[in-house]
Amino acid sequence: MSTVGRAIGENQIENLTSILDSMYPMRGQIECALNRFLTYGEDPRECGCVRHEIAMSWLRSRNYGITQDVDLLTKRVKPSTWKRVLKNSGTLLSVAKEVLLKDLSFVTRHSDFSAFLFDDKGITLLPVNGGKTFSSVVSGLDLSEESIGTSSHSLCIYHDRPTFLVAPENFNWTIQDVSASVSVPIHYESGSLAGVLTFTYNRDNDLYLTSREMLSGMIAFQFSLAQKIENSLRGLDHNSKTSSTQTQSHTPFDIIRSLTDDSLAAVNKKGEFLHLNTGAEKLLQATLKQLKGTTLLTLTGNEPSLIGALKSSRPTPDFPIQLLNTGNPKDCLIRVVPVNDEEMIIRFKQLKPSKPNNSEHLSALYTFSDIVGESPELARTKQLAQKFASTSRNIILFGRSGTGKELFAQAIHNASRSQGPFISINCASLPRGLVESEFFGYEGGSFTGADRKGRAGKLELADGGTLFLDEIGDMPLGFQPILLRALENKQVMRIGGSQYVPTNFRVIAATNKDIPDLIAKNLFREDLYYRLSSLKLLIPSLKERRNDILVLAHYFIRKQCQEYNLPIPALEPDVEKALISYEWPGNIRELHNCIGTALTLAENDIIRAEDLPPEILTQSYDVNETFGLKSLDEMEAMAIRDAMFRTGHNVSKAARFLGINRTTLYQKLKKHPIDTM
């Protein structure tokens, strides 16, 4: 990191982002821990997912008699108190207002971000509202820990140090409606606490998931603003050489540039170049001086989407453009992020065609129309999968072996209209010594037996598409934190390499194992599970969709007869009865093999009972077991288990899903042995 990063507190920024890396994947567990603490009185200090300082603040908040549903607007201080606050913090407010309203003018036009200045007691001095969550917050509200409970700014005041909280660590429900909040202390020259500067990020536009580097840059920018306010409070002469150097080095572009190796440019509203980093100069094959008089619009042939992005005051997702100034057009993805009224940061990412081995799976062959069946169970599953396909969130597929999990994964990929590849990797079949090279790739000559030209790994190949992780429950435990880090940072480095390669893809994982049980046995990392399971889909077994057995049987008969140019045989009634009665532990795969065997043995264009594999004929037939008749208690337990599963073990959401209140659900969770984690 450059001197800019060190000047604004490199260690502090790294500490905050490290906390986020640890706590962000555990949001569901933290929410459960807070619910159990408030409902059952369980000590949060004994919960491994809750940081000690958070647990202590929760305990203090409860002792204050605070409830989570407190309306922030009811916490306006009395006029006499506000007058005293202005007297004590008037200098801070005056200095900070000049800095913040100038450098954060872009915030008022953004819906994903808000900034707040608090005094040393937690009273709002200056809200710079952009986030819709906090649009009603005004000056003069008592938002201290004693008033509304745990928050990043109250803990920043309590410990007098920078503080980072993820959503469920906050006590108040309104403040929980964020992805993260960061608070930085501001001090007088004497060292005493003057106030706190807080940035909040709306959960509807999660900057951490969109770009970790950008969030790190915003944290650094926040530190620089706090430092600028402190310098003004100390009466430093900003026209002096030293002060001027410090102020100039704290521009958003320079701060973000110091924290990432991406190709970055800063432009104004007309697209004229203001700054370039080394990566951008290399990509554009020109220096800032050489580009004088040239705009980004000129280099892209006045691309309409870029014109709109430059006029907008909102950050954009990645979108494709072509750079035309380099002789051979370069295909790129760019992202436009406004940082103030005049300046925007452009992040370039050049698209390079992959040259994988012929054995690589780069396309998904199947769509939802290829998933055969007419049962209500299958219809509901397909409908839910189609909804999931319209998002970019990670999905985990649960289902017994042979139920068609990869078929669903490919169908979801194709329904998402992704232009990228579909990369499949079976975690159970990887040789232990080659796991990292399969996922990350390697440079030529990195190890004995390596291809001298090197090879791209699966994470790199999946860029812009879908990575399908089959049998995720069998992934080696030691490799799981390495994969988690790569998924969070969205960048990989080949074995033997020296540079990170950015990569962005959706993960669809599949397993036939009970992952929560593996977590309880310390055989699977909980943080990786939560990273992979934003959405969960349970694929029904063939036993659970018996109406589809004969439909599938006839489908496989037609398909295999066409493939081998055979006449289509009839099925004897005893064959149909046997197929329906069988339990099908191997599911659709076993049925497919069964039909293959029967076609091989059939004579005179008729499949008879003796043509079926012997295990199908010898299995007993139990109507209750076949049709799954259960007691009311069993059905209630199943409904609760399903609701908890579908909502990621979120008790509040599960209660709404079931149409009951949280108290009733907690009572039923005590009645039925269902794990709330």
Side-chain angles (χ1 to χ4, degrees):
M1 187 180 291
S2 70
T3 54
V4 176
R6 288 191 294 271
I8 58 177
E10 178 182 276
N11 290 336
Q12 291 176 313
I13 296 171
E14 180 58 33
N15 288 340
L16 291 177
T17 52
S18 295
I19 290 171
L20 183 63
D21 287 338
S22 300
M23 307 315 300
Y24 198 88
M26 302 175 71
R27 290 167 297 163
Q29 300 164 260
I30 296 169
E31 182 178 9
C32 287
L34 180 57
N35 288 335
R36 290 197 301 274
F37 164 58
L38 296 177
T39 305
Y40 301 123
E42 294 183 12
D43 192 339
R45 291 171 294 186
E46 298 178 0
C47 184
C49 66
V50 181
R51 292 183 282 162
H52 179 74
E53 60 266 35
I54 301 297
M56 295 303 297
S57 180
W58 286 357
L59 289 166
R60 293 193 299 269
S61 300
R62 186 186 62 177
N63 292 339
Y64 295 141
I66 300 168
T67 59
Q68 290 183 284
D69 60 352
V70 171
D71 184 351
L72 302 186
L73 287 179
T74 64
K75 294 300 179 177
R76 189 184 293 272
V77 300
K78 296 178 180 179
S80 58
T81 303
W82 180 237
K83 185 176 181 180
R84 185 169 64 252
V85 169
L86 290 178
K87 180 180 179 181
N88 295 336
S89 302
T91 303
L92 170 64
L93 177 59
S94 176
V95 167
K97 188 173 184 179
E98 181 180 354
V99 172
L100 298 180
L101 293 186
K102 177 183 177 182
D103 290 350
L104 293 178
S105 59
F106 70 97
V107 170
T108 57
R109 301 188 305 275
H110 285 214
S111 63
D112 60 346
F113 175 80
S114 293
F116 301 93
L117 179 70
F118 296 91
D119 75 351
D120 61 335
K121 302 294 190 299
I123 296 175
T124 53
L125 295 176
L126 179 66
V128 186
N129 290 321
K132 62 183 180 182
T133 303
F134 303 108
S135 58
S136 60
V137 174
V138 296
S139 301
L141 300 181
D142 180 4
L143 304 185
S144 62
E145 183 180 82
E146 295 86 346
S147 182
I148 66 166
T150 309
S151 64
S152 70
H153 62 268
S154 66
L155 284 176
C156 181
I157 293 170
Y158 189 89
H159 295 289
D160 194 7
R161 67 177 184 226
T163 306
F164 201 143
L165 263 64
V166 294
E169 291 179 316
N170 293 285
F171 196 84
N172 182 270
W173 280 342
T174 299
I175 298 182
Q176 283 185 356
D177 196 22
V178 297
S179 63
S181 54
V182 187
S183 293
V184 178
I186 299 170
H187 297 96
Y188 291 113
E189 188 171 11
S190 63
S192 62
L193 183 67
V196 169
L197 177 62
T198 298
F199 282 10
T200 64
Y201 300 92
N202 192 300
R203 70 165 70 234
D204 293 335
N205 193 348
D206 200 323
L207 191 59
Y208 173 61
L209 294 181
T210 302
S211 172
R212 187 181 188 276
E213 293 83 6
M214 189 60 70
L215 179 58
S216 297
M218 288 300 292
I219 296 173
F221 182 43
Q222 182 179 356
F223 270 84
S224 75
L225 291 176
Q227 187 178 47
K228 188 183 291 187
I229 294 169
E230 286 185 348
N231 289 344
S232 296
L233 287 174
R234 294 168 184 172
L236 295 180
D237 179 7
H238 291 288
N239 294 319
S240 70
K241 182 177 180 181
T242 302
S243 176
S244 176
T245 301
Q246 290 176 337
T247 303
Q248 290 174 7
S249 70
H250 293 163
T251 64
F253 180 83
D254 282 336
I255 292 168
I256 295 170
R257 177 172 62 181
S258 72
L259 296 167
T260 180
D261 295 324
D262 288 346
S263 299
L264 299 177
V267 301
N268 61 21
K269 287 282 188 179
K270 297 178 182 179
E272 296 170 335
F273 290 96
L274 305 175
H275 307 280
L276 295 176
N277 73 350
T278 303
E281 288 180 347
K282 183 177 180 180
L283 179 66
L284 299 173
Q285 296 182 9
T287 63
L288 183 63
K289 185 176 181 180
Q290 291 170 331
L291 290 173
K292 185 176 182 180
T294 303
T295 69
L296 181 58
L297 292 171
T298 304
L299 301 185
T300 60
N302 291 309
E303 168 66 36
S305 55
L306 180 58
I307 294 174
L310 292 176
K311 290 180 179 179
S312 175
S313 60
R314 295 177 54 80
T316 71
D318 290 335
F319 61 90
I321 61 155
Q322 267 196 340
L323 293 174
L324 306 174
N325 68 312
T326 57
N328 295 322
K330 293 181 179 179
D331 292 319
C332 297
L333 291 176
I334 71 167
R335 177 177 299 164
V336 181
V337 181
V339 293
N340 55 44
D341 282 331
E342 295 298 328
E343 187 173 340
M344 297 182 170
I345 293 178
I346 311 292
R347 191 191 75 172
F348 298 91
K349 178 181 176 185
Q350 185 175 1
L351 297 176
K352 297 180 180 179
S354 299
K355 296 181 179 179
N357 293 345
N358 293 332
S359 60
E360 300 287 2
H361 297 285
L362 286 174
S363 61
L365 302 176
Y366 300 104
T367 66
F368 283 112
S369 62
D370 295 308
I371 301 176
V372 177
E374 302 170 354
S375 66
E377 294 82 4
L378 180 65
R380 284 194 295 269
T381 304
K382 287 173 67 173
Q383 185 180 34
L384 191 59
Q386 287 168 330
K387 289 182 179 180
F388 288 177
S390 64
T391 76
S392 59
R393 300 173 68 184
N394 293 339
I395 303 170
I396 188 165
L397 308 177
F398 292 96
R400 296 183 182 277
S401 179
T403 53
K405 296 186 289 295
E406 182 163 4
L407 196 65
F408 269 91
Q410 293 194 24
I412 290 170
H413 171 81
N414 282 327
S416 68
R417 298 179 181 177
S418 172
Q419 300 299 311
F422 179 87
I423 302 296
S424 176
I425 186 166
N426 190 305
C427 302
S429 65
L430 290 174
R432 295 281 167 161
L434 298 178
V435 175
E436 288 197 43
S437 64
E438 282 290 317
F439 276 88
F440 292 96
Y442 55 83
E443 297 293 349
S446 300
F447 52 86
T448 303
D451 188 329
R452 63 180 183 179
K453 294 181 180 179
R455 185 182 181 188
K458 296 295 196 296
L459 300 182
E460 187 177 339
L461 290 173
D463 186 34
T466 299
L467 178 68
F468 177 56
L469 299 178
D470 200 8
E471 306 296 350
I472 188 69
D474 293 300
M475 174 170 287
L477 185 62
F479 181 69
Q480 291 178 24
I482 301 173
L483 175 63
L484 175 64
R485 184 74 176 179
L487 295 178
E488 289 174 339
N489 293 347
K490 296 186 178 182
Q491 59 181 10
V492 296
M493 182 186 295
R494 295 186 186 185
I495 296 174
S498 59
Q499 290 186 335
Y500 281 102
V501 177
T503 184
N504 188 22
F505 49 82
R506 186 234 289 270
V507 177
I508 301 179
T511 183
N512 59 7
K513 296 191 174 181
D514 185 348
I515 299 295
D517 182 59
L518 294 179
I519 293 172
K521 295 176 180 176
N522 294 319
L523 297 176
F524 199 90
R525 286 182 64 100
E526 194 166 32
D527 45 8
L528 177 60
Y529 172 63
Y530 282 106
R531 170 63 67 180
L532 296 173
S533 59
S534 295
L535 300 171
K536 305 180 185 73
L537 187 68
L538 181 62
I539 311 299
S541 65
L542 193 52
K543 176 182 173 180
E544 296 169 314
R545 41 182 287 214
R546 288 190 179 273
N547 291 346
D548 289 333
I549 292 175
L550 293 183
V551 175
L552 284 164
H554 286 292
Y555 170 77
F556 290 141
I557 289 171
R558 289 193 305 271
K559 187 175 180 181
Q560 293 186 45
C561 286
Q562 290 172 1
E563 183 178 354
Y564 297 107
N565 195 25
L566 298 172
I568 297 177
L571 296 180
E572 283 191 341
D574 286 347
V575 172
E576 292 187 348
K577 181 179 178 180
L579 293 177
I580 293 174
S581 302
Y582 186 57
E583 295 300 303
W584 299 110
N587 291 289
I588 299 171
R589 185 181 296 120
E590 185 181 10
L591 176 59
H592 179 273
N593 294 339
C594 168
I595 295 301
T597 300
L599 286 173
T600 301
L601 299 177
E603 295 179 352
N604 302 321
D605 300 336
I606 297 176
I607 295 179
R608 298 176 175 83
E610 57 264 29
D611 298 328
L612 299 176
E615 64 269 16
I616 293 178
L617 299 175
T618 57
Q619 189 177 78
S620 62
Y621 179 78
D622 184 326
V623 68
N624 279 359
E625 179 65 22
T626 297
F627 293 102
L629 298 181
K630 301 181 184 299
S631 69
L632 288 175
D633 267 358
E634 289 176 318
M635 293 176 66
E636 180 181 75
M638 287 177 61
I640 293 173
R641 187 177 293 109
D642 180 63
M644 293 292 286
F645 173 82
R646 289 174 181 270
T647 59
H649 301 286
N650 183 307
V651 176
S652 299
K653 292 180 180 178
R656 289 196 295 270
F657 183 85
L658 292 166
I660 59 179
N661 59 45
R662 285 199 309 169
T663 303
T664 301
L665 179 54
Y666 275 119
Q667 291 171 348
K668 292 184 180 297
L669 287 170
K670 286 183 175 180
K671 176 181 177 183
H672 301 292
I674 299 172
D675 185 5
T676 60
M677 288 299 290

